[in-house]
Amino acid sequence: MTLPRQHSERHAEKLVRREKIESKNFKNIIRDMGMKVTDQRLLILEALTAGRAHVTAQEVFEVVVEKDASIGFATVYRFLRKLTESGFVNEVRMGGLAARYEMSSQVHHDHLTCTHCGKICEFENHDIEKLQESVAKQFGYQLTGHVLELYGLCRDCQKKST
Amino acid sequence: MTLPRQHSERHAEKLVRREKIESKNFKNIIRDMGMKVTDQRLLILEALTAGRAHVTAQEVFEVVVEKDASIGFATVYRFLRKLTESGFVNEVRMGGLAARYEMSSQVHHDHLTCTHCGKICEFENHDIEKLQESVAKQFGYQLTGHVLELYGLCRDCQKKST
DNA sequence: ATTGATATTGATAATTATTCTCAATTAGTA
DNA sequence: TACTAATTGAGAATAATTATCAATATCAAT
Ligand SMILES: [Mn+2]
Ligand SMILES: [Mn+2]
Ligand SMILES: [Zn+2]
Ligand SMILES: [Zn+2]
């Protein structure tokens, strides 16, 4: 079973990762994961930090293949999985659709998605996070992660649909 | 894009559905959806209400195929989709795994899942729901649904893993 | 720099969950 | 009962992701 976003994790670790990502010290990110530095991996990290957030594996591939026409699909999937496992990237899933990825450089947040046009807003609500902890505690669970996705119609799509 | 659980929907409608499900008036449920009553559909509804909640399409199929060895896989998927669209059933997704289904007879709730053994607890937290509404409003969205899945280690699995 | 053990890669096959297609069958109604 | 449109089951198709494996590249030790 895939673990979503780690929650109870030490804050310090997060900060170190964030710094590495923001300084674009990609080589060290890769070495941190105990992996070898390759051009493919550097390109994937570049694509993830440069382009917009919430991209699919397919989209990452399309960006990377421009720079290295011979890169394989499997390499992208493989590395995205590793990045997710190490917490440098987080995986966002909505409905049964393809997973989307974003660098974890930013602070934790959840998503509010327009069901009509797909526009995504990021938000962070401390009260909700707190309440989640308390729910888990009530049931004797040790909370390790959560998925909170809100769905609705954005302002533009509300207008159009009337 | 698949809509999750409808939220803003009229309460009365929900109550009517709930009554039909609880009275096991399966034929009327099917007619309500503007569909023809077939043995297959009745069996699927039976399986959904009788067995435990949070079953996969596969699991529904396995139950139903006992009573009607000739039923097709597609029939189960097809009808589950219709039931979901009509709101009689709701679809729960965790990670990239197969969708799970449960009758919507019960009141709205979210899920707390053990990442180790898969045990699912249902909970309902009015404060969280309220906060979700307010987040959506802040962004100008009209909230239509949400997915809230908490992940953690249940008491038993905490013991085992030490 | 050269070497060599080991990790990584890309092509492609395999898997998994789900949907689609279509000819045969059936339900609801006149 | 007879008609028509909806439904069915088998299997093909699709889509996302993972596994396999021989060829290649990395990096630590020389
Ligand atoms: Mn985001
Ligand atoms: Mn439930
Ligand atoms: Zn929109
Ligand atoms: Zn457990």
Side-chain angles (χ1 to χ4, degrees):
Chain A
M1 187 167 285
T2 326
L3 299 201
R5 222 163 3 248
Q6 291 306 117
H7 206 231
S8 59
E9 179 192 16
R10 233 171 272 86
H11 194 59
E13 282 179 34
K14 271 191 201 172
L15 287 184
V16 171
R17 274 208 307 260
R18 191 147 135 203
E19 199 186 297
K20 291 211 178 94
I21 293 170
E22 267 155 25
S23 66
K24 303 209 187 255
N25 198 341
F26 297 152
K27 291 193 182 182
N28 279 340
I29 289 180
I30 299 171
R31 290 196 189 104
D32 264 19
M33 296 191 276
M35 306 178 80
K36 292 183 175 177
V37 174
T38 67
D39 290 351
Q40 292 91 328
R41 287 173 178 162
L42 291 171
L43 283 172
I44 291 169
L45 280 170
E46 217 169 287
L48 280 170
T49 44
R52 67 192 169 304
H54 313 125
V55 285
T56 62
Q58 175 69 48
E59 285 161 356
V60 173
F61 174 79
E62 278 162 17
V63 171
V64 171
V65 83
E66 290 296 315
K67 306 253 178 180
D68 173 0
S70 76
I71 197 169
F73 222 85
T75 303
V76 174
Y77 268 107
R78 250 181 325 229
F79 192 45
L80 283 174
R81 182 145 43 98
K82 287 289 185 187
L83 284 166
T84 302
E85 283 163 13
S86 330
F88 284 104
V89 155
N90 65 281
E91 203 188 56
V92 183
R93 287 182 172 275
M94 332 184 307
L97 306 170
R100 293 183 169 271
Y101 301 87
E102 63 183 351
M103 294 304 292
S104 327
S105 49
Q106 339 159 31
V107 297
H108 165 72
H109 60 265
D110 298 297
H111 299 105
L112 168 58
T113 305
C114 177
T115 51
H116 191 258
C117 69
K119 189 171 80 179
I120 296 176
C121 292
E122 300 183 333
F123 69 90
E124 189 219 345
N125 187 300
H126 194 62
D127 293 340
I128 293 183
E129 307 277 325
K130 273 276 185 61
L131 286 166
Q132 290 177 3
E133 281 287 354
S134 87
V135 167
K137 204 161 290 172
Q138 271 171 51
F139 285 88
Y141 277 59
Q142 182 188 325
L143 193 66
T144 55
H146 71 261
V147 172
L148 174 58
E149 307 283 345
L150 304 185
Y151 297 93
L153 275 182
C154 74
R155 231 185 307 253
D156 292 348
C157 292
Q158 283 172 54
K159 284 179 201 156
K160 282 174 202 156
S161 70
T162 39
Chain B
M1 188 167 285
T2 327
L3 298 202
R5 224 164 1 251
Q6 290 306 118
H7 206 233
S8 60
E9 178 193 17
R10 235 172 269 85
H11 195 59
E13 281 179 35
K14 271 192 201 171
L15 287 184
V16 171
R17 275 208 305 261
R18 191 148 135 201
E19 198 186 298
K20 291 211 176 93
I21 293 170
E22 268 155 25
S23 65
K24 302 206 188 260
N25 197 341
F26 297 152
K27 292 192 181 181
N28 279 340
I29 289 180
I30 299 172
R31 289 196 190 105
D32 265 20
M33 296 191 277
M35 306 179 81
K36 292 184 174 177
V37 174
T38 67
D39 291 350
Q40 292 92 329
R41 285 172 180 166
L42 290 172
L43 284 172
I44 291 169
L45 281 171
E46 218 169 286
L48 280 170
T49 45
R52 66 191 170 306
H54 313 124
V55 285
T56 61
Q58 175 69 47
E59 285 161 357
V60 172
F61 174 77
E62 278 162 17
V63 170
V64 171
V65 84
E66 290 296 313
K67 307 252 177 181
D68 173 1
S70 76
I71 197 170
F73 222 84
T75 304
V76 173
Y77 268 107
R78 250 181 323 229
F79 192 45
L80 282 174
R81 181 146 43 98
K82 287 290 184 186
L83 283 166
T84 302
E85 283 164 13
S86 328
F88 283 104
V89 155
N90 65 281
E91 202 187 57
V92 183
R93 285 180 174 278
M94 334 183 306
L97 306 170
R100 293 183 169 271
Y101 301 87
E102 64 183 349
M103 294 302 293
S104 327
S105 49
Q106 340 160 29
V107 297
H108 165 72
H109 59 265
D110 297 297
H111 298 105
L112 169 59
T113 304
C114 177
T115 51
H116 190 258
C117 69
K119 190 171 80 180
I120 297 177
C121 292
E122 299 183 334
F123 70 91
E124 189 220 344
N125 186 300
H126 193 62
D127 293 340
I128 293 182
E129 308 277 324
K130 272 276 184 61
L131 286 166
Q132 289 177 3
E133 280 288 353
S134 87
V135 167
K137 203 161 290 172
Q138 271 171 51
F139 286 88
Y141 277 59
Q142 181 188 327
L143 193 68
T144 56
H146 70 261
V147 171
L148 174 58
E149 310 282 345
L150 304 185
Y151 298 93
L153 275 182
C154 75
R155 231 184 306 254
D156 291 348
C157 292
Q158 282 173 54
K159 284 179 201 157
K160 282 174 204 157
S161 70
T162 39

